[in-house]
Amino acid sequence: MRKSYAAWMLLLFSFCLLPGLAMAAPAQAQDQLKLMVEGKSVDADVPPVIDQGRTLVPVRVVAEQLGATVTWDDVSRSATIVRGQTTLELTLDRKAARKNGKDVQLDTAPKVHNGRMLLPLRFVSESLGLTVGWEEATRTVIVNSPLTVSVNGSGLAAASTVYVIDGTAFVPVDALANSFGLKDWVNKQTIHQTRTIDSVRVAPLDEMRDLLGVDAQWDQKNSRITFTRDTNFTGVEVDGEKVSIKTTNRVTPASFTLEGPHRIVMDFPQTHLSSKMQNGLDSSYQGIAYQASAANDSDDRETTQNNRVNDQAAEMPSWLSGIEENNDSEDVAVDALSQVTAASVPVASDAKPPLVTTIRYSQYQPDVVRVVVELSQKSNYDLSQQEDGVSVTLKPAPRKTGYLIVIDAGHGGHDNGASGVAGNKEKDYNLAVANKVVKLLSQYKEFQVVATRSTDVYLTLQQRVEIANNMGADLFLSVHANSFTPTSRGTETFYYNANSEAFARLVHSYLVKATGFPDRTVQIQPFYVIKNTKMPATLTETGFLTNEIENKQLMSPAFQDKIAQALATAIREYYLQNQ
Ligand SMILES: [Zn+2]
């Protein structure tokens, strides 16, 4: 050390002999950078400078503050920096450098400034295994020995750098909040001492400890910060459309939905089963936290049983089974299952099943509790975080009460559709026929008939599809009329998905008979409403509004009755064929 320091003095001395160099103008005040090393401000006799966005510091700072040995070779004009197992060789005015004997490229070269050799701080520090950060607000470079951060025994993943400033450890706010499932909540809180270092929001360890309600230990000897918070899942309460999930701490789960049956899956991070909930686990490591006490008949119960077997396969804790989840096989299982469900649930049942049927839970991963709320129908939901868990407000779509048929009158409102040769509008023909179809189908008590519109209003194509999909419709029929050249004539019917072909062909056969127009056949087209609906769906173009003969008929109420009757008969027949 002594020898290398002497070498550095020699360097300084030799530069001072060069005329002009020692007289270089002092740095401007606004260029002044501050340097914080291991939590302490460093006053260098030559302050750090920024060159092309990179901070350069005097060799002396590297030697004295970073605890490295620096030797200078006058002939090659290069510095050799040794700290622990790392050796760096940097040459004045050259970007080519060597780290442990291997070539590396600097983005800024060491240079002479005010008679001192300056080294690129970030490169040197990071090469020596140190943490480096830049705080723009205070123009401070922060360098400290790396600190590891662990949360309940596991390493904190992204953006987990800790900076030491004036003896205080600043920890990453978002990465920490996220790991405890508190990101949204923390974003609503005031954090008093946040700083932004290398674009990451950090806050003092003590403030984050209090804010998150966690234990935090800074083991200075081992350069380690340990966060611990033991959150337990203790149970659930169900009150109609509100589910309260009880935990011993504030925690927000990641959530998503699955179908077959409809369910909301919530994963609570850094959470464990209370001993009571642990005792409720069965041999597949799942527990039932809630079971609706509905007067189900035996068929229903059998269906529920099947569903549970299916879920277990999909949601078995992977860390216990060691088997990765296979989404493909779940899809197949769900498809097979929904057929079972459809076959075993009576059609026109007056007894509404409770919305929440079952709530299951498991220790899905070592630090993740999974709670699955099983529903009798599709439902949107809101999560709101409470001191003692999460409340889930369910927003179910209107209930399906029978064989559900969605009748869609095309266009509407500002969207007129095609124009008829008599100045008539397609949207009015579509609505007239659709309303008649709805009326005809409503006479069957096993049918639940829903119109996407029953008045002259505008709906997007997506809205039309959502009505059908969200309610779990069994059939979808869209009514339209065609337009092209004055001589174009005929009836055509469209479908897109394979499950729609039989329905489309049946509808078309009745429609062609009713119109007496030329048969333009059944065709496959990716129209939005028939492509994106999940149930058998068809779109009919009864005839051409641009043809004088066909338009005259399409405008006649008696003809519209005939068309509506044909469509209703086709739907009734399709229903009876598929029972
Ligand atoms: Zn149309």
Side-chain angles (χ1 to χ4, degrees):
M1 195 62 139
R2 215 168 271 277
K3 186 186 160 209
S4 60
Y5 193 69
W8 180 82
M9 288 298 284
L10 188 65
L11 171 74
L12 173 63
F13 180 68
S14 63
F15 278 126
C16 288
L17 290 181
L18 298 175
L21 260 177
M23 313 252 291
Q28 299 268 321
Q30 72 257 32
D31 291 332
Q32 292 274 328
L33 302 181
K34 279 177 264 175
L35 185 58
M36 178 81 60
V37 178
E38 299 293 4
K40 294 191 184 94
S41 275
V42 172
D43 279 326
D45 52 354
V46 173
V49 297
I50 288 189
D51 179 46
Q52 292 166 10
R54 301 289 153 183
T55 307
L56 296 156
V57 295
V59 174
R60 183 176 186 164
V61 168
V62 172
E64 292 184 351
Q65 302 296 332
L66 307 187
T69 306
V70 184
T71 50
W72 171 255
D73 185 300
D74 228 352
V75 177
S76 62
R77 290 157 58 85
S78 62
T80 303
I81 303 163
V82 181
R83 184 180 186 268
Q85 304 296 306
T86 309
T87 301
L88 300 175
E89 295 165 71
L90 295 97
T91 306
L92 203 59
D93 297 326
R94 283 190 61 189
K95 287 188 178 178
R98 289 172 78 78
K99 178 183 174 184
N100 292 335
K102 287 183 180 156
D103 290 341
V104 287
Q105 193 71 19
L106 306 178
D107 36 25
T108 187
K111 62 187 242 179
V112 170
H113 183 78
N114 285 5
R116 302 289 200 279
M117 181 177 178
L118 302 179
L119 302 176
L121 177 61
R122 188 179 283 267
F123 173 82
V124 171
S125 302
E126 287 180 349
S127 295
L128 298 176
L130 297 163
T131 293
V132 184
W134 166 250
E135 187 178 38
E136 179 69 36
T138 57
R139 295 179 64 78
T140 303
V141 182
I142 299 142
V143 181
N144 51 259
S145 302
L147 284 150
T148 57
V149 179
S150 74
V151 169
N152 285 348
S154 304
L156 187 60
S160 61
T161 309
V162 177
Y163 302 98
V164 183
I165 302 166
D166 294 327
T168 299
F170 280 75
V171 295
V173 172
D174 296 296
L176 261 181
N178 204 26
S179 74
F180 285 109
L182 291 168
K183 195 172 180 183
D184 292 342
W185 182 78
V186 161
N187 283 339
K188 290 178 199 144
Q189 310 303 310
T190 305
I191 306 173
H192 298 285
Q193 295 185 64
T194 53
R195 308 175 77 131
T196 303
I197 300 174
D198 276 6
S199 307
V200 173
R201 186 161 67 131
V202 296
L205 179 63
D206 288 356
E207 189 173 358
M208 284 308 284
R209 179 190 60 211
D210 295 345
L211 186 70
L212 299 173
V214 299
D215 284 333
Q217 301 290 334
W218 182 5
D219 175 355
Q220 303 216 20
K221 198 176 137 211
N222 294 305
S223 300
R224 191 165 51 207
I225 293 179
T226 312
F227 292 94
T228 44
R229 184 178 76 154
D230 191 23
T231 300
N232 281 344
F233 165 65
T234 57
V236 300
E237 284 170 14
V238 178
D239 179 12
E241 296 180 354
K242 194 177 162 198
V243 176
S244 301
I245 293 162
K246 301 294 182 191
T247 55
T248 52
N249 277 313
R250 192 181 283 281
V251 58
T252 302
S255 72
F256 58 96
T257 59
L258 290 172
E259 292 179 10
H262 293 294
R263 52 206 198 275
I264 301 166
V265 182
M266 285 168 276
D267 287 339
F268 291 78
Q270 303 303 332
T271 305
H272 304 99
L273 300 178
S274 69
S275 54
K276 187 189 105 193
M277 300 314 280
Q278 252 175 41
N279 290 338
L281 295 176
D282 63 19
S283 57
S284 67
Y285 306 100
Q286 301 223 14
I288 303 287
Y290 172 83
Q291 183 94 58
S293 54
N296 291 337
D297 62 26
S298 57
D299 279 353
D300 274 356
R301 209 165 296 137
E302 197 178 315
T303 303
T304 306
Q305 203 68 41
N306 286 344
N307 293 345
R308 198 174 310 144
V309 169
N310 175 46
D311 281 345
Q312 277 172 4
E315 289 155 16
M316 173 100 150
S318 54
W319 61 280
L320 278 172
S321 65
I323 299 164
E324 288 293 311
E325 251 185 69
N326 186 333
N327 288 328
D328 288 349
S329 69
E330 192 194 18
D331 282 351
V332 173
V334 170
D335 274 357
L337 194 94
S338 43
Q339 282 164 24
V340 172
T341 309
S344 59
V345 172
V347 173
S349 168
D350 289 340
K352 287 179 180 175
L355 179 58
V356 178
T357 53
T358 308
I359 300 178
R360 291 174 284 110
Y361 65 91
S362 65
Q363 188 73 51
Y364 187 61
Q365 283 169 15
D367 294 312
V368 177
V369 166
R370 172 166 285 192
V371 176
V372 180
V373 178
E374 215 171 275
L375 304 168
S376 58
Q377 64 165 109
K378 192 180 175 101
S379 177
N380 290 331
Y381 63 96
D382 284 336
L383 292 183
S384 81
Q385 197 177 60
Q386 314 290 327
E387 292 271 356
D388 62 343
V390 167
S391 76
V392 185
T393 306
L394 297 165
K395 297 168 162 180
R399 277 174 186 272
K400 186 174 169 181
T401 55
Y403 189 84
L404 182 56
I405 303 154
V406 173
I407 304 297
D408 174 46
H411 313 282
H414 66 78
D415 174 12
N416 290 335
S419 299
V421 288
N424 52 320
K425 296 163 187 161
E426 184 200 341
K427 66 172 183 176
D428 296 327
Y429 166 80
N430 297 342
L431 183 62
V433 171
N435 282 345
K436 289 174 196 289
V437 174
V438 169
K439 202 173 166 194
L440 287 167
L441 291 174
S442 298
Q443 66 183 298
Y444 301 104
K445 69 172 175 41
E446 61 271 44
F447 285 175
Q448 181 185 2
V449 191
V450 172
T452 55
R453 68 182 182 99
S454 55
T455 55
D456 184 20
V457 292
Y458 174 75
L459 278 93
T460 64
L461 297 177
Q462 195 188 347
Q463 285 172 321
R464 296 165 201 261
V465 166
E466 277 175 2
I467 288 169
N469 284 348
N470 289 348
M471 288 189 77
D474 296 292
L475 284 180
F476 180 91
L477 176 93
S478 190
V479 179
H480 286 256
N482 231 332
S483 69
F484 198 46
T485 66
T487 53
S488 305
R489 291 201 58 186
T491 300
E492 54 191 6
T493 303
F494 298 93
Y495 73 96
Y496 183 73
N497 297 313
N499 65 343
S500 300
E501 184 179 354
F503 178 50
R505 292 200 180 282
L506 192 60
V507 166
H508 185 73
S509 68
Y510 276 95
L511 197 56
V512 166
K513 246 180 277 171
T515 62
F517 297 163
D519 184 352
R520 296 173 69 97
T521 73
V522 176
Q523 295 170 42
I524 298 174
Q525 280 291 336
F527 294 135
Y528 190 92
V529 294
I530 52 174
K531 184 181 174 188
N532 294 290
T533 38
K534 291 175 183 167
M535 67 296 310
T538 186
L539 186 148
T540 60
E541 298 277 8
T542 319
F544 281 78
L545 297 166
T546 44
N547 176 269
E548 211 177 323
I549 302 163
E550 291 192 359
N551 189 54
K552 201 169 183 179
Q553 297 228 51
L554 291 167
M555 286 171 70
S556 139
F559 185 82
Q560 291 170 358
D561 281 337
K562 205 169 150 194
I563 300 303
Q565 187 63 61
L567 295 173
T569 305
I571 287 168
R572 179 69 185 169
E573 191 170 317
Y574 183 85
Y575 162 75
L576 293 172
Q577 279 176 8
N578 288 279
Q579 281 312 288

